[in-house]
Amino acid sequence: MAGSSLAVGVMGVAAVVAVGLTGVPAAAVAGQRLAGAADAAALAAADAASGAATGVPCERAEQTAAAWGARVTECGLDGLVATVSVAVQLGPISARASARAGPPS
């Protein structure tokens, strides 16, 4: 009987660990996607600031981030260099990423 109880306990712990780890790859993918959204939004803002694309830089960043399913939380320009922060809600957690784009120094 004691061996059976131990086996059931070990199986229960293994099941809990397995279920807990299934979210790790999904979070990694979401993080990479969010970083891509930040990069794309910063590039869009920098292109608009330099005249390579039409529009207002931060508005272009917002449109680009929205296409990736994210929202811009901060957008700033320093000359032709754009710095953009984006966020996305992942269940109860708000994930954030930032990127900077502009011409080479």
Side-chain angles (χ1 to χ4, degrees), residues 27 40 57 60 65 96:
R60 297 287 294 168
R96 299 179 185 275

Side-chain angles (χ1 to χ4, degrees), residues 3-66:
S4 297
S5 298
L6 179 61
V8 168
V10 168
M11 293 294 285
V13 169
V16 168
V17 169
V19 169
L21 290 177
T22 58
V24 173
V29 169
Q32 290 298 316
R33 186 168 171 81
L34 187 59
D39 289 342
L43 287 168
D47 282 349
S50 71
T54 59
V56 177
C58 289
E59 288 177 8
R60 297 287 294 168
E62 289 172 1
Q63 292 167 350
T64 303

